[in-house]
Amino acid sequence: MTARRIIPCLDVRDGRVVKGVRFEGHVDMGDAADLAARYRDEGADELVFYDITASPEGRTLDYGWVRDIARLLDIPFSVAGGIRSVEQAGRCLDHGADKVSINSPALERPELIAEMAGRFGAQCVVVGVDSRRAGDDWFVHQYTGDPAASRGAGRRTLDWIVEAQALGAGEIVLNCMDEDGVRRGYDLAQLAAARSRLTIPLVASGGAGEAAHFRDVFQQADVSGALAASVFHTGSVGIGELKTFLDQAGVEVRL
Amino acid sequence: MTAVTVLAYGAGNVASVRFALERLGATVRLTDDPAGIAEAERLILPGVGAAGYAMARLSGLGLVEPIRAFSRPLLGVCLGQQLLFEASEEGQGVDMLGLLPGTVRRLEPGPGRPVPHMGWSRLSLTRPDPLLEGLEDGAWAYFVHSYACPDGAATLARADYGGPVPAVVRSANRWGCQFHPERSAAAGARILRNFLEIEP
C-alpha cells in the first residue's frame, strides 16, 4: 500500500509564494525555493507549484524556474499554470517536473488530457478541478486564479472527473472552493462522492485548518493525498507534527 | 569523480535523474547514440510513459542492440526497469529488451488501491545486494506506475500493492528500480550512490 501523502501547495507569482482567501486578496508568503526546501526537509511527500497568474494571462510558466526546483528537490513535484499543449507539458517534464497539472485548458479542450496521456503516460497527467457547491450538487469553475476571469465551466464536478479519468488522467486534485482558505476542514461529502466514482488517485484540496482535518479526510473520504497551503506557510500546522499525529491516529504516513 | 551515462532518448525523466546524480557529485553524460553507450562506464536507462513509445524511440535510435550488449553496470529506472523484461501487455503488446524473463502486466485497481500506484510504499528486501547496501528493510520509496514486472528470482526488493510488486530487480550486471530513486529522498539517494560505487 502507499502512505497517505501530505502535499504543500505553493501558489507562485513571480517566484514568490502567495496565498489568498477564497482565491482573492493575495498575501506574500515568501520565496518559492526557500519554502520548497523547508517542506522537503520537514517531510513533505510531494509538492505542487501553481503559477496562479499564468492561465488567466494566457501564458505558460517559466521552465528555468522548473529546472531550479528540480535540482533542489529529492521528492516528487508537479507544476501547473497555463499548460495548454503537449509540447509545453513535455518541456515541463524535460526540465525535471514529475507531473503536470492542467485545469482550465483541459476544460477548454478535453482532448488535451488524452494527448498528454498518450505521449507521457497517465501517471504524469494530473487534472486539477476547482469545484463549488450550487444547490445540492457541485459544479466546475475555471480561470479561478484571477477573480475577474473566474467563472463557472458549465459542468457537473462528478461528471467531469469521470470524463477526465476516461480520457487518461492519472490523478485528480479536487479543490473545493467553498472551503478554500477558510480552514473549516475539507469537504468530506464532496470528496467521498468523488472517490467513489474514480479508480485513479484522488487528492483533496481546500479547507485544511488543523491536524484533525487531515485525519478526517483520509479516514472518511479515503483520499490518497491531502493538499494544503496556508496552514503550512504560516506554520500553524507543522508537517512533522502533523505526520506524527496521523500516525498515532492510525493513518499510514511516511515518517 | 564517478562518471555515469544517462540515456536521453526522448522518453525519460532525464533531468530529474541527472540532477539527483549531480547532487551526489557524479559526472553525468547524456547520450542518445550507440557510441555513447559503448564508452559508458555505467549506464542508466530512465523512462516514463508508454512502453511502446519508449521501445520505438530506442529502436529508431539504434540503441536496442547496444543496450543488450552492454556488460558494465546498467540501471533501469521506472519504465526503464520494465523495459529490461521480455514483453509488456501495454497497448497491443510490446516486445522489449528481453534481458530478464517474463511479461510486464497491468495493475488492476481495487478497493483502497487506485491505479496508477502513485505514492510512497515500503520496500521489503529479499536478499543483500550491493545496490541495496545500507538500506533498511521497510525503507520508503516513491512509485508511479500502472504496470508491474513479473515477480521471480530476479527480485531483490518488493512493495506490496494488492500483491507483490517487484521494486528492485537484478540479473548479472543489470539492475532495475520500479520506483523513482531520484525522487525517493534519502533511500533513493543511497541506492543511486551505491550504483555509482559498483565496480564496472
Side-chain angles (χ1 to χ4, degrees):
Chain A
M1 296 301 108
T2 51
R4 306 289 174 163
R5 282 176 272 153
I6 301 299
I7 309 171
C9 174
L10 293 79
D11 288 347
V12 180
R13 187 166 61 192
D14 303 324
R16 304 290 294 180
V17 176
V18 295
K19 182 58 194 171
V21 175
R22 298 199 197 208
F23 285 60
E24 296 176 30
H26 292 113
V27 178
D28 188 297
M29 307 297 284
D31 179 75
D34 289 347
L35 266 178
R38 193 183 104 197
Y39 293 142
R40 172 200 65 197
D41 295 341
E42 289 177 356
D45 297 303
E46 183 173 329
L47 297 178
V48 177
F49 298 90
Y50 280 90
D51 184 333
I52 57 164
T53 52
S55 201
E57 289 177 6
R59 61 177 175 84
T60 189
L61 40 74
D62 177 347
Y63 302 116
W65 184 80
V66 174
R67 187 186 56 226
D68 292 343
I69 295 294
R71 278 214 173 91
L72 189 69
L73 293 179
D74 60 0
I75 57 171
F77 72 100
S78 58
V79 295
I83 297 158
R84 54 188 67 242
S85 72
V86 168
E87 191 269 336
Q88 289 168 339
R91 292 192 68 182
C92 291
L93 298 172
D94 287 346
H95 284 77
D98 299 280
K99 297 187 269 188
V100 170
S101 185
I102 54 174
N103 186 326
S104 300
L107 290 161
E108 292 164 9
R109 203 170 65 81
E111 312 81 66
L112 177 61
I113 299 170
E115 291 167 13
M116 284 172 52
R119 172 65 187 80
F120 310 115
Q123 74 286 340
C124 292
V125 184
V126 179
V127 174
V129 179
D130 291 317
S131 178
R132 179 166 271 174
R133 175 179 284 279
D136 57 1
D137 204 348
W138 300 284
F139 290 88
V140 182
H141 284 247
Q142 64 188 139
Y143 309 120
T144 54
D146 174 2
S150 179
R151 56 182 157 93
R155 289 171 179 270
R156 289 182 68 233
T157 298
L158 297 179
D159 290 343
W160 171 234
I161 61 173
V162 169
E163 184 181 342
Q165 172 177 277
L167 286 165
E171 182 166 76
I172 301 286
V173 175
L174 182 56
N175 184 53
C176 306
M177 294 176 70
D178 300 299
E179 305 304 327
D180 188 66
V182 296
R183 303 191 180 193
R184 290 185 306 216
Y186 291 96
D187 187 336
L188 301 175
Q190 184 174 183
L191 289 158
R195 175 65 274 167
S196 71
R197 283 163 177 78
L198 296 171
T199 60
I200 58 176
L202 173 67
V203 172
S205 168
E210 56 186 86
H213 295 153
F214 292 85
R215 177 198 61 203
D216 293 346
V217 80
F218 290 130
Q219 291 183 338
Q220 295 178 43
D222 193 27
V223 295
S224 298
L227 185 147
S230 55
V231 289
F232 297 138
H233 303 336
T234 61
S236 72
V237 174
I239 292 168
E241 300 92 274
L242 171 61
K243 292 178 93 172
T244 302
F245 168 82
L246 290 170
D247 179 57
Q248 287 166 357
V251 175
E252 188 174 29
V253 288
R254 179 181 68 107
L255 291 173
Chain B
M1 187 99 59
T2 306
V4 57
T5 301
V6 178
L7 271 175
Y9 62 107
N13 43 328
V14 172
S16 52
V17 170
R18 174 190 187 164
F19 297 151
L21 294 163
E22 288 176 349
R23 286 196 293 271
L24 295 167
T27 302
V28 181
R29 300 192 179 97
L30 305 183
T31 189
D32 67 354
D33 66 45
I37 293 177
E39 291 164 5
E41 273 179 45
R42 62 197 82 231
L43 186 64
I44 292 184
L45 172 61
V48 293
Y53 181 81
M55 283 307 299
R57 291 288 306 172
L58 291 178
S59 181
L61 292 163
L63 302 179
V64 171
E65 284 314 316
I67 294 170
R68 283 185 176 138
F70 189 76
S71 61
R72 291 181 292 279
L74 167 71
L75 176 64
V77 171
C78 196
L79 177 63
Q81 165 174 293
Q82 298 182 7
L83 297 176
L84 302 178
F85 287 81
E86 283 174 299
S88 171
E89 63 177 19
E90 196 171 344
Q92 304 305 309
V94 183
D95 287 333
M96 303 195 295
L97 294 169
L99 299 168
L100 284 161
T103 298
V104 173
R105 301 200 183 279
R106 185 167 172 79
L107 287 168
E108 291 303 325
R113 208 175 64 240
V115 171
H117 171 209
M118 187 183 301
W120 296 80
S121 289
R122 286 184 181 278
L123 300 180
S124 153
L125 310 182
T126 64
R127 61 176 183 271
D129 187 86
L131 191 73
L132 303 176
E133 184 70 36
L135 219 67
E136 285 181 22
D137 196 45
W140 292 100
Y142 184 77
F143 289 79
V144 188
H145 62 122
S146 301
Y147 289 79
C149 295
D151 194 21
T155 304
L156 293 178
R158 294 188 180 93
D160 170 27
Y161 203 66
V165 171
V168 182
V169 299
R170 179 187 184 179
S171 172
N173 247 356
R174 287 127 179 177
W175 285 263
C177 284
Q178 178 61 67
F179 55 90
H180 285 276
E182 75 279 13
R183 288 285 180 252
S184 291
R190 181 64 200 244
I191 286 171
L192 291 176
R193 184 153 64 85
N194 289 342
F195 181 70
L196 294 172
E197 289 173 358
I198 289 171
E199 289 298 320

